[in-house]
Amino acid sequence: MSAASTPAPRVQRPSAETRWADELDRLADRDRRTGARVPDGWRLSPRSVVDFVLGDAGQRDGLGLETKFVGDRALVERCVVALATDRGLMLVGEPGTAKSFLSELLAAAVSGDSTLTVQGTASTTEDAITYSWNYALLLARGPSLDALVPAPVHRGMSTGAVVRFEEITRCPIETQDSLLSVLSDRVLVVPELEDEHRVLHARRGFSVIATANVRDRGVNDMSAALKRRFSFETIHPIADLRREAELVQRQSDAILADAGITAALPGDLTEVLVTMFAELRRGRTADGRPVEQLSTAMSTAEAVSVAVATGLSSAWFTGTPPRGEDVVGALLGTALKDSDEDRSRLRGYLTRVAKERGGRWQELHAARGLLDG
Ligand SMILES: Nc1ncnc2c1ncn2[C@@H]1O[C@H](COP(=O)(O)OP(=O)(O)OP(=O)(O)O)[C@@H](O)[C@H]1O
Ligand SMILES: [Mg+2]
């Protein structure tokens, strides 16, 4: 096959508005048919936004919306309300609890675009948040709208869209504070420009969803002034083991199927994986015995990665359906990273806790030697 006829590789991870474009259309259509009130600048009614985020499985007269974020309806409703107020929305929580995913889903449903995103790092500057300049044009023609390069906040304000600010607390406090007047006065001043372009008034629909990881917090905290301009919501790990196992199964099945692998993780193995993660996360077993917690966040996101790695390695290399030892192998690289202490804590867990249980647990117990390497 010549290079010219090789199909272009598919996108690794389409954004939510692309992946679920069909669902967003159906919801917009339902809003029109039922005359539901859609806030100014929004694509959907508040109820449709919530239905999109949570899915409508089990609802009578549902639209067949896929379950996406697994969480409390009341929490999602509060998030949607926050987006319609004059404050931003701040999602805080442990790593891997779907803060970023929830913010992506909300932005996709409210604005039809989840890509106006600032990634907060220690070196994020105000330019990356508000606007910068095309210096060639700036030198040639002086400051003008043509020479201005809008960053997500400028674009969100001028089009009336939700802007996502990932890991905001990793930015220096002075940089975070460039959001102060944006959030309180809904105004961005570009002092270099003249006349009508100097002051940008946010259009309706504009809002900010920020996320912050509690483990990173304190590295760079937030100013009290900025905190006052956000509604805070804490996202907790999924409390219900069955719902977490369903989610891990559903997501890993989908990712594996996408890679052309049909032998998904058997249900009982997924259950063992999720139980193990939950017990190590909480530091105690289901029947209340203490276990040593790992320094790695044993999050749902990590559980999905381990399930996928397990499925891939057994399909590609073992050639048998996934088993307990594949899970232990996948845990090594995916969840344990480079911590020797975590390795020995996990080994302790498999030695003591898994030993006493039947079924798949025995496969994990038998594979504990893999952790010695
Ligand atoms: N409640 C949940 N509902 C749906 N997916 C979840 C949930 N909790 C965890 N996940 C899984 O986690 C993945 C996304 O994690 P995400 O990156 O959004 O977490 P995060 O909280 O932003 O983590 P971090 O703090 O590391 O940035 C999802 O794709 C999904 O696999
Ligand atoms: Mg995140």
Side-chain angles (χ1 to χ4, degrees), residues 131-311:
Y131 63 90
S132 59
W133 297 100
N134 174 330
Y135 285 101
L137 281 179
L138 189 66
L139 288 173
R141 298 195 207 148
S144 68
L145 210 50
D146 291 342
L148 185 133
V149 180
V153 166
H154 191 289
R155 286 171 57 198
M157 291 177 76
S158 53
T159 58
V162 170
V163 174
R164 300 169 52 203
F165 201 139
E166 286 287 299
E167 305 289 353
I168 190 169
T169 51
R170 285 202 197 148
C171 298
I173 291 186
E174 311 78 64
T175 314
Q176 297 175 28
D177 279 352
S178 59
L179 287 179
L180 281 174
S181 63
V182 165
L183 285 175
S184 46
D185 304 333
R186 303 281 154 162
V187 152
L188 179 67
V189 180
V190 185
E192 297 87 344
L193 292 181
E194 295 192 339
D195 314 330
E196 77 267 28
H197 301 307
R198 216 170 72 83
V199 180
L200 172 65
H201 291 274
R203 290 193 180 259
R204 289 178 182 237
F206 165 72
S207 189
V208 175
I209 309 178
T211 63
N213 191 313
V214 282
R215 295 216 183 184
D216 289 344
R217 242 170 154 207
V219 177
N220 276 304
D221 222 337
M222 283 178 88
S223 68
L226 188 59
K227 273 189 197 157
R228 282 199 300 277
R229 287 162 176 81
F230 277 103
S231 300
F232 278 63
E233 286 295 342
T234 303
I235 313 294
H236 295 286
I238 302 170
D240 183 300
L241 221 58
R242 190 183 48 83
R243 292 187 83 193
E244 189 177 6
E246 277 169 11
L247 179 138
V248 170
Q249 187 82 57
R250 192 171 52 243
Q251 292 199 351
S252 58
D253 283 0
I255 296 169
L256 289 169
D258 202 46
I261 292 167
T262 45
L265 231 60
D268 56 350
L269 196 54
T270 309
E271 216 172 280
V272 165
L273 171 67
V274 169
T275 306
M276 176 169 67
F277 268 57
E279 293 187 333
L280 289 165
R281 185 158 71 220
R282 290 178 197 141
R284 64 188 148 71
T285 61
D287 54 7
R289 278 181 305 149
V291 292
E292 269 196 288
Q293 278 174 301
L294 308 192
S295 62
T296 307
M298 300 300 278
S299 67
T300 311
E302 298 279 6
V304 173
S305 304
V306 170
V308 170
T310 302

